[in-house]
């Protein structure tokens, strides 16, 4: 039996952040597919038993149940001894990028991709608004990576594994990453890490069934 | 000279999260007003010297400079010995609500308020989209508070101080909080804490000057 059980689905970048951490660390883990697109996370039983926030990922490790990708990443870095910090200042700097990712990058990029690639709303005032916010965040990230190979401490940490979570899908996001050459070079460095696997190959549920 | 220097402005709920922490803890602190509405946080010097993320708040404590409200709250809880956790499980649970706030509550509520009360865009597809997300978050919060006085450990922690940051402005957000009676009761409990001060009375820059 695997040590870690990750509730996830292939299209979730937030779940990918954790799956990538587990895979890069060569942990003993197994994915458990959650039927997000048919409302599994809105189910009252899911909310009472798994996550009142109604979100994926959920990690189970023995009796411990954890949610919020960043909290799980922090936990795993300590459990597995990988991709963590070396001192308190680094720990805070990693945490700072984890919050920035959740608030300013993923919150816009993930929603934009969801509208364009999953709901297929077409171009609307809402997609244009989210695209503006997504591009502002990509600029901050590109600037940060101008003279460092990774976000914190010049080596890969959970900050990188979180921030990259949605960025291997530029076509689905529908934003040209061309101008962000530092971001692109950094994504290549992450892809070159031993045991890297792309999101759709790492978690179950891809491709989505074609509607009848 | 005050021990803590907080770069802030009265309209920032993210700055308020930290200002409220400092005030409730009766710390030695002083606010430093930042001219956000005239672009101070977009200034290249601000980005290079204060915060590359281009955001308020920034806290200075001696030689230490910190950004991201949640990282600052965690730091202050340890420095001041207030509103923190009692064990590792509580620490993770507080962190979980801090991430949820940044990703799912503040990200939508703050932007909705900004469009309605500051930019005054009027009702658009974008405000309607953000209102839907804000209400979904308020429902999660209301459910959480159904049988506990505060978010974690049944006593006020930095999780509460973060999550409440934008919620004392329901009129500016333009959402009727009436249906969320647990949220309202919890906000009253926070207002009843010794030394509580409303955002516009705690930080400089209110009201905004009327355009000429």
């Amino acid at each position: 039996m695997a040590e870690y059980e990750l509730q996830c689905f292939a299209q979730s970048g937030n779940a990918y952040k954790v799956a990538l951490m587990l895979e890069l660390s060569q942990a003993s883990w197994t994915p458990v597919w959650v039927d997000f697109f048919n409302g599994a996370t809105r189910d009252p039983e899911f909310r009472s038993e798994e996550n009142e926030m109604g979100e994926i990922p959920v990690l189970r490790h023995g009796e411990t149940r954890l949610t919020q990708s960043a909290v799980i990443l922090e936990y795993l870095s300590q459990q597995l001894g990988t991709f963590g910090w070396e001192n308190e200042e680094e720990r805070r700097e990693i945490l700072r990028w984890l919050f920035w990712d959740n608030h300013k990058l993923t919150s816009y990029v993930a929603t934009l991709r969801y509208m364009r690639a999953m709901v297929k709303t077409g171009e609307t005032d809402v997609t244009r608004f989210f695209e503006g916010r997504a591009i502002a965040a990509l600029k901050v990230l590109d600037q940060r990576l101008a003279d460092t190979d990774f976000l914190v401490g010049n080596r890969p940490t959970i900050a990188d594994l979180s921030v990259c979570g949605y960025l291997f899908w530029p076509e689905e996001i529908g934003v040209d990453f061309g101008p962000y050459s530092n971001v692109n070079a950094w994504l290549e460095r992450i892809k070159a890490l031993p045991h890297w696997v792309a999101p759709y190959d790492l978690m179950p549920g891809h491709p989505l069934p074609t509607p009848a």
Side-chain angles (χ1 to χ4, degrees), chain A:
Chain A
M1 209 180 109
E3 191 177 355
Y4 296 97
E5 195 180 278
L6 179 66
Q7 295 179 36
C8 62
F9 56 97
Q11 294 76 15
S12 168
N14 286 317
Y16 179 63
K17 298 171 185 183
V18 177
L20 183 60
M21 171 72 175
L22 290 162
E23 190 67 15
L24 292 178
S25 305
Q26 293 284 284
S28 162
W29 73 285
T30 191
V32 176
W33 181 69
V34 173
D35 192 2
F36 172 83
F37 290 100
N38 282 307
T41 58
R42 294 193 299 273
D43 187 81
E45 193 179 320
F46 179 87
R47 299 227 168 188
S48 68
E49 299 299 317
E50 301 296 343
N51 186 3
E52 68 200 295
M53 295 164 178
E55 295 177 280
I56 288 297
V58 177
L59 184 82
R60 286 189 176 271
H61 180 215
E63 295 301 304
T64 301
R65 176 175 51 84
L66 292 172
T67 82
Q68 287 291 335
S69 62
V71 176
I72 299 173
L73 287 173
E74 191 215 51
Y75 176 82
L76 289 174
S77 76
Q78 299 309 290
Q79 289 286 321
L80 302 168
T82 55
F83 301 104
W85 50 89
E86 289 182 353
N87 54 54
E88 178 63 11
E89 192 179 334
E90 271 194 9
R91 188 191 66 81
R92 282 201 302 263
E93 187 64 4
I94 287 171
L95 196 58
R96 192 167 82 97
W97 284 99
L98 290 173
F99 275 105
W100 177 83
D101 173 34
N102 276 267
H103 195 165
K104 296 288 171 155
L105 178 68
T106 285
S107 63
Y108 297 118
V109 164
T111 307
L112 178 60
R113 167 179 172 257
Y114 184 72
M115 290 187 285
R116 283 183 169 159
M118 276 94 191
V119 184
K120 300 184 198 297
T121 64
E123 294 311 292
T124 67
D125 286 347
V126 180
T127 59
R128 278 183 283 274
F129 183 91
F130 274 79
E131 179 167 290
R133 294 290 182 108
I135 287 173
L138 284 168
K139 286 180 179 169
V140 168
L141 181 59
D142 200 62
Q143 179 64 37
R144 169 67 171 202
L145 292 166
D147 44 26
T148 179
D149 280 353
F150 295 97
L151 286 168
V152 180
N154 216 29
R155 64 178 194 284
T157 69
I158 52 173
D160 302 281
L161 304 190
S162 183
V163 171
C164 80
Y166 280 85
L167 301 185
F168 295 110
W169 290 302
E171 299 81 7
E172 294 188 4
I173 297 165
V175 170
D176 175 15
F177 280 24
Y180 315 113
S181 56
N182 301 324
V183 171
N184 288 323
W186 164 79
L187 290 173
E188 290 303 316
R189 281 191 287 275
I190 293 174
K191 287 167 79 168
L193 294 174
H195 309 294
W196 181 85
V197 179
Y200 286 152
D201 297 326
L202 190 54
M203 298 181 293
H206 177 77
L208 289 173
T210 312

